[in-house]
Amino acid sequence: MDKKYDHKKYEEQISKMWLEGDYFKADAKSDKEPYCIVLPPPNASGKMHTGNVLMIAIEDLLIRYKRMKGYEVLWVPGTDHAGFETQTTFERKLKKEGKSRFDFDRKTLYDTIMKFVLENKSAIEEQIRQMGASVDWSRYRFALDKESIDTVVNTFEKLEKDGKIYRDNYLVNYSFKWGTTFSDAEITYKDSKTKLVYVRYKVVDPEDNQPEYIIVATTRPETIPVDTHLAINPKDESKKWLLNKKVLNPLTDKEMSFIEDNYVDVEFGTGIVKITPAHDKADFEVGKKHKLPIINLITLEGKLNEKGGELSDLSILEARKKAIEILQQKDLIEKINEEYENVVPVDYRSGDYVEQLVIPNWFVKVDEMRDMALNVFEKGDLKIYPKWREITYKRWVENMHDWAISRQVVWGIQIPAWYNVDENPEIKVSYLDPSGNLQNETIKEALEKYSLKEVEEGIQSLIAPAGATYVINTEKPGERYIQETDTFDTWFSSGQWPLITLGYPDSDDFKKFYPTSVLETGWEIITRWVSRMVMFGMYLTGEVPFKDVYLHGIVRAIDGRKMSKSLGNVINPEEYIEEFGVDALRMGLISGTANGKDFNFPRDKIIGYRKFTNKIWNMARFMLMMIEREGYDEKNPLPFWSKDYKEKAESEMIEQDDEILNKLVETIKEVENKIDQYRFADACDAIYHFMWNEIADKYIEDVKSRDGKSKEIGLVILRYVYLNSLKMLHPFMPFITEVIWGEMPRKCDNPLVISNWPDK
RNA sequence: GAGUCUGUAGCUCAGUCGGUCAGAGCGCUUCGUUCACAUCGAAGAGGUCAGUGGUUCGAAUCCACUCAGACUCACCA
């Protein structure tokens, strides 16, 4: 053996050996008890970050431990398309080339992104291998594989048949310039000087001591025609009287009533807010909470519709001007703050104004699924570790609204819904015409100039009116149909990930390994991801997709803050792998947190475990050296520890021998116990101290000084204790333990440590 | 604004049911080391457990409040 353990020399070699030996392939036909983890799929075009490393370290620890204990183990690897994240990465790349997504038709854009992702996909797969993850590569899945898409589409069809799918208005950021929506992340805010108009609202039948008018400040007077309510803060005693009163809408003269909501800031303006659910994000939420009507005022062309009365057909800015004029004529303006500064949303590309308005989106009714996802705790079907995270899950699921599952992005699974273009002439299409120019118009207008085929080929996106008729089908149902351009929310597909990867509904894997044993992931996605998987699992199979959920903490930077590119404190795991090795990095990270709390990147612990690898390496060397020095070799081997040997040697064994053997059993029990409780840091600690303090510092020193028969007994026991420690350590430090195992003469048929958990 | 968590040695953190819980690693100090390992060994210093009050025979642990910090969600008409 070399004098030092050189991780660079061995890690690649061992990893290759595991891969070629196909040791991690699960057998669905096996009689052994199943143990299964589905790897939370990293972004296919992404790179390994410290969170991924921790995730893999913990899961590999569980997987190797259970495999060694004799379970039929399956760990399914996969990568996610990560819809929006990938598309923005890609668009940044396009921007560098002086292009944008609006230069492409939908299909070309999709194909180009796919190519980009496939080119980058192997990097993360390679990193998973490098980490020593004992996943079953034969079952690898990508979120946009045909099988994945089939499962997701089938689920959508089932939901539709069960009456769970509907289309409804949903507030989105809409750009008139591009004729499409922008996600929240694509919106930036621009400072802008806007008139803050203080408008008088006439109180209907005021009491003697009450004012005749109340005053409301607004920057959007043009939306007044569709306002039906005003809001006050429930803590604002001075305005309580308004709750029993009505006021007149200053533009339509219709009566309006009041609601109470904490969202209202008592200090701002006059402490009274007009609520426009159709055209303001906050108001939309308030409106939903109080079940207020959503009345659209602004059209996809950026003009006011017939609800605007005198303002109809004007653009937003024209209407605003006109509204102020009308109010002035009616003498309903108290004052105007011309200097008011606010921020307006603009799209990240052109800086053009983006309007918040409601357009039809696809929704899933969640009522039934939500209840199922909450009841799992009562029956004890699901346990969350650490337990205090349960409340986050429950609170979120309880408050869950119907789920808007459509996204106006290309990179994802296209919703399998089709509109008949003759029945729905008002569908708004954005498409590149045959000469490559971007057009925004209705399908009817488009078809007057071009064939349906031409429009379809150039299409970027479409928006079908709320009442549009549609057919759900995987294939084009007829000549005159055009497919919905929206894709599913990433969580809609990743929420089915355990089902997708295990081949729901009737594969052997599904029968053997579903429900899986544990879901291990970061707590940050407990609401968005974990809850969705529970919902889909319950809905489709009647069973929770995993028995336990273990949530690890987030690895923060060394300075205690969250890692972020802008802070420049992102830790690249590759550097640590290079310097200290995968084993030290894995074990250091695992021991960084005992209870699932966030923790700072534990650099000191990684260095500590790096020293530890060298220590156990030298323990092995020294032990082999002592055995050799005592004259043992292949012809005259050192006896193995066994029941027989023990009986013969018992009378000559001394206190230290019994002690180390007892401590070995204690340590095995403790490590098992801690792993079973998901207390991984404690398990690390137990092995570390047993090997270093008990074996190296005490027992080896003792054996070193012995002679004759006593020395032989010492060496026999030492080797036995050491090899069993190696086994225990293997799930934590798979590489070095495998290397040393290969160097050791041992009484065991299996040349690999991977299937040998110690007996007590 | 709503919610969750945290405050224990110089640093990073354990401390599970209120009673051998004042702990670990790193760092620091002193000494040692041709004979496995300086990525080593031996010994040692250090904390009013954020603060105040309460419950209890007993509190780092339970409760209330205060102070400080982190994160999640929402966000100004």
Side-chain angles (χ1 to χ4, degrees):
Chain A
M1 286 172 82
D2 300 335
K3 197 170 176 193
K4 283 182 181 176
Y5 174 64
D6 178 6
H7 62 267
K8 286 183 208 165
K9 179 174 162 187
Y10 292 109
E11 280 175 2
E12 208 183 315
Q13 185 180 317
I14 293 288
S15 156
K16 200 170 162 215
M17 187 262 292
W18 284 332
L19 211 62
E20 285 170 359
D22 214 10
Y23 300 109
F24 308 131
K25 191 162 182 170
D27 177 8
K29 301 278 191 200
S30 151
D31 294 330
K32 291 194 273 182
E33 197 180 328
Y35 186 86
C36 178
I37 295 179
V38 172
L39 178 77
N43 181 353
S45 63
K47 264 188 118 182
M48 189 77 82
H49 59 257
T50 45
N52 294 142
V53 174
L54 176 62
M55 169 178 88
I56 287 175
I58 293 172
E59 289 172 29
D60 197 38
L61 152 59
L62 287 167
I63 285 287
R64 286 181 186 267
Y65 169 66
K66 291 291 180 178
R67 188 183 289 121
M68 291 169 92
K69 293 273 269 182
Y71 288 77
E72 186 59 42
V73 166
L74 170 61
W75 188 12
V76 194
T79 46
D80 194 25
H81 68 294
F84 180 71
E85 195 185 332
T86 303
Q87 185 159 333
T88 42
T89 308
F90 182 75
E91 287 195 47
R92 267 200 296 275
K93 184 174 167 273
L94 280 183
K95 197 173 179 180
K96 280 183 197 152
E97 296 162 9
K99 293 182 193 160
S100 86
R101 70 172 188 251
F102 302 104
D103 297 329
F104 300 89
D105 65 79
R106 193 183 191 290
K107 184 169 184 307
T108 308
L109 184 62
Y110 182 93
D111 291 346
T112 315
I113 300 176
M114 180 62 98
K115 195 163 160 258
F116 168 75
V117 168
L118 291 179
E119 275 165 13
N120 290 283
K121 201 157 74 82
S122 58
I124 192 104
E125 294 164 12
E126 184 48 40
Q127 285 183 307
I128 294 172
R129 280 185 200 102
Q130 187 191 13
M131 287 295 302
S134 59
V135 295
D136 183 347
W137 286 105
S138 72
R139 288 167 163 92
Y140 176 81
R141 237 336 114 65
F142 172 52
L144 294 180
D145 287 346
K146 188 183 178 302
E147 293 88 343
S148 310
I149 294 175
D150 286 349
T151 306
V152 173
V153 167
N154 285 341
T155 302
F156 182 71
E157 289 184 318
K158 178 173 160 56
L159 284 164
E160 160 73 12
K161 276 188 198 119
D162 289 351
K164 301 281 183 204
I165 298 290
Y166 64 94
R167 296 183 78 227
D168 195 8
N169 286 324
Y170 190 65
L171 193 90
V172 295
N173 308 300
Y174 188 83
S175 158
F176 304 115
K177 172 172 176 137
W178 300 106
T180 188
T181 59
F182 282 87
S183 70
D184 287 348
E186 287 177 299
I187 296 300
T188 54
Y189 291 88
K190 203 166 76 177
D191 290 330
S192 147
K193 207 176 265 186
T194 310
K195 286 179 182 164
L196 183 61
V197 186
Y198 287 74
V199 183
R200 290 198 199 104
Y201 285 58
K202 190 173 177 11
V203 179
V204 180
D205 299 329
E207 314 285 325
D208 290 344
N209 57 346
Q210 291 171 348
E212 212 171 319
Y213 290 97
I214 57 152
I215 296 164
V216 178
T218 179
T219 53
R220 307 280 317 253
E222 75 278 12
T223 61
I224 287 176
V226 292
D227 291 343
T228 55
H229 292 76
L230 298 166
I232 58 170
N233 189 301
K235 289 182 198 121
D236 192 349
E237 295 298 330
S238 71
K239 299 198 179 63
K240 285 270 182 204
W241 63 276
L242 284 167
L243 291 173
N244 302 319
K245 286 286 164 195
K246 302 222 179 231
V247 294
L248 294 182
N249 184 309
L251 287 179
T252 64
D253 288 336
K254 284 186 186 150
E255 292 194 345
M256 305 172 69
S257 49
F258 287 81
I259 56 167
E260 288 185 298
D261 200 284
N262 283 324
Y263 142 78
V264 180
D265 182 347
V266 181
E267 304 298 321
F268 190 90
T270 58
I272 306 174
V273 186
K274 69 183 207 61
I275 303 292
T276 316
H279 298 291
D280 181 277
K281 196 165 187 166
D283 291 3
F284 183 74
E285 292 300 323
V286 172
K288 221 160 47 175
K289 199 154 76 181
H290 296 272
K291 300 196 163 50
L292 306 183
I294 294 172
I295 307 167
N296 281 313
L297 176 68
I298 300 167
T299 66
L300 296 176
E301 286 74 35
K303 292 183 173 169
L304 271 60
N305 65 19
E306 75 288 352
K307 293 276 192 321
E310 287 181 69
L311 309 178
S312 295
D313 287 331
L314 296 176
S315 76
I316 295 168
L317 290 178
E318 288 165 357
R320 188 172 302 168
K321 214 181 268 175
K322 177 108 186 235
I324 294 174
E325 280 171 27
I326 295 171
L327 290 169
Q328 269 164 343
Q329 280 162 22
K330 290 178 143 186
D331 194 26
L332 289 176
I333 292 191
E334 176 80 9
K335 61 173 178 181
I336 297 177
N337 179 355
E338 304 269 355
E339 297 300 307
Y340 181 67
E341 298 258 353
N342 71 346
V343 289
V344 294
V346 296
D347 84 65
Y348 77 109
R349 269 204 64 74
S350 63
D352 258 37
Y353 184 61
V354 169
E355 182 64 50
Q356 292 179 326
L357 45 82
V358 292
I359 62 169
N361 273 253
W362 295 84
F363 279 82
V364 174
K365 274 185 206 163
V366 297
D367 45 359
E368 199 183 318
M369 284 191 264
R370 178 183 54 211
D371 293 346
M372 287 194 280
L374 278 173
N375 290 338
V376 292
F377 294 104
E378 285 157 27
K379 295 182 215 143
D381 292 337
L382 180 66
K383 289 199 183 81
I384 293 182
Y385 300 85
K387 192 165 172 30
W388 54 269
R389 294 274 187 214
E390 235 180 63
I391 193 167
T392 314
Y393 174 100
K394 284 184 181 163
R395 192 182 304 275
W396 195 85
V397 175
E398 273 165 7
N399 293 325
M400 196 174 182
H401 301 293
D402 279 357
W403 178 12
I405 53 167
S406 48
R407 293 290 178 273
Q408 290 77 39
V409 294
V410 165
W411 184 237
I413 300 174
Q414 193 170 1
I415 295 180
W418 303 80
Y419 303 101
N420 183 307
V421 293
D422 302 317
E423 287 171 21
N424 302 288
E426 294 305 314
I427 290 174
K428 181 111 191 316
V429 286
S430 299
Y431 66 103
L432 298 175
D433 66 24
S435 13
N437 297 315
L438 181 58
Q439 305 286 353
N440 284 315
E441 55 197 354
T442 62
I443 188 81
K444 189 173 174 238
E445 288 161 347
L447 291 177
E448 281 161 12
K449 290 178 270 177
Y450 307 108
S451 71
L452 178 57
K453 189 158 179 283
E454 283 168 325
V455 175
E456 266 185 311
E457 275 170 4
I459 194 136
Q460 289 185 341
S461 62
L462 65 77
I463 296 172
T469 55
Y470 59 85
V471 178
I472 303 289
N473 211 342
T474 45
E475 304 293 329
K476 183 166 177 154
E479 276 292 305
R480 301 294 286 168
Y481 283 85
I482 189 165
Q483 188 174 4
E484 171 62 80
T485 50
D486 284 2
T487 49
F488 289 117
D489 177 12
T490 308
W491 304 109
F492 185 79
S493 52
S494 58
Q496 301 172 53
W497 194 242
L499 303 165
I500 291 169
T501 49
L502 291 179
Y504 167 80
D506 50 13
S507 74
D508 289 341
D509 279 358
F510 184 75
K511 286 172 196 153
K512 175 80 181 171
F513 294 107
Y514 189 91
T516 64
S517 309
V518 57
L519 174 80
E520 195 283 333
T521 190
W523 61 264
E524 58 193 345
I525 49 177
I526 182 174
T527 51
R528 280 171 295 175
W529 194 42
V530 179
S531 64
R532 263 73 183 256
M533 285 193 286
V534 175
M535 281 167 46
F536 279 122
M538 295 298 291
Y539 172 64
L540 293 170
T541 74
E543 283 184 284
V544 187
F546 22 73
K547 294 172 187 119
D548 288 352
V549 174
Y550 174 76
L551 298 164
H552 62 250
I554 307 304
V555 189
R556 291 183 308 237
I558 293 175
D559 61 13
R561 289 185 295 179
K562 204 178 167 182
M563 287 186 205
S564 79
K565 279 179 195 157
S566 55
L567 286 172
N569 57 2
V570 176
I571 291 162
N572 179 3
E574 282 172 48
E575 291 166 22
Y576 281 82
I577 289 174
E578 170 78 14
E579 192 174 356
F580 303 111
V582 172
D583 286 330
L585 177 62
R586 285 175 51 149
M587 197 158 176
L589 277 173
I590 284 177
S591 70
T593 170
N595 49 18
K597 284 188 304 204
D598 293 353
F599 61 107
N600 299 359
F601 186 81
R603 189 167 199 277
D604 288 347
K605 284 190 172 143
I606 293 162
I607 295 170
Y609 282 113
R610 168 69 189 121
K611 289 184 182 178
F612 182 59
T613 58
N614 193 62
K615 185 70 184 179
I616 60 171
W617 182 259
N618 275 291
M619 285 163 71
R621 275 180 67 213
F622 184 52
M623 183 167 68
L624 292 177
M625 195 187 292
M626 280 200 291
I627 291 172
E628 201 176 309
R629 227 184 267 151
E630 289 301 303
Y632 298 103
D633 56 26
E634 278 170 36
K635 284 178 199 155
N636 172 34
L638 179 71
F640 287 99
W641 179 251
S642 65
K643 214 172 169 183
D644 285 353
Y645 187 87
K646 189 185 172 188
E647 273 167 25
K648 280 182 217 154
E650 199 138 33
S651 59
E652 291 175 75
M653 279 167 61
I654 57 173
E655 202 187 325
Q656 283 85 343
D657 298 329
D658 289 322
E659 197 183 327
I660 196 76
L661 287 167
N662 288 336
K663 281 197 172 149
L664 172 67
V665 174
E666 278 171 31
T667 309
I668 295 168
K669 281 185 187 162
E670 187 178 355
V671 169
E672 289 179 343
N673 196 12
K674 295 300 186 186
I675 294 178
D676 290 342
Q677 292 174 52
Y678 302 108
R679 299 278 308 186
F680 308 119
D682 293 346
C684 291
D685 212 46
I687 300 174
Y688 178 91
H689 283 111
F690 177 67
M691 291 189 81
W692 202 311
N693 301 131
E694 300 300 331
I695 302 182
D697 292 347
K698 289 190 197 150
Y699 196 67
I700 288 184
E701 291 303 314
D702 187 70
V703 171
K704 195 157 123 180
S705 62
R706 295 189 194 180
D707 293 306
K709 182 71 178 170
S710 175
K711 182 138 195 172
E712 181 201 289
I713 294 171
L715 288 173
V716 168
I717 293 176
L718 174 61
R719 183 173 60 188
Y720 170 78
V721 171
Y722 181 80
L723 284 176
N724 278 294
S725 305
L726 267 192
K727 295 175 187 173
M728 271 194 287
L729 183 60
H730 181 253
F732 299 84
M733 294 193 149
F735 289 103
I736 189 171
T737 48
E738 195 71 90
V739 176
I740 298 177
W741 187 261
E743 296 278 347
M744 299 294 286
R746 59 188 181 267
K747 189 186 177 185
C748 175
D749 296 333
N750 197 319
L752 300 174
V753 67
I754 58 174
S755 50
N756 286 276
W757 188 253
D759 297 321
K760 290 183 281 278

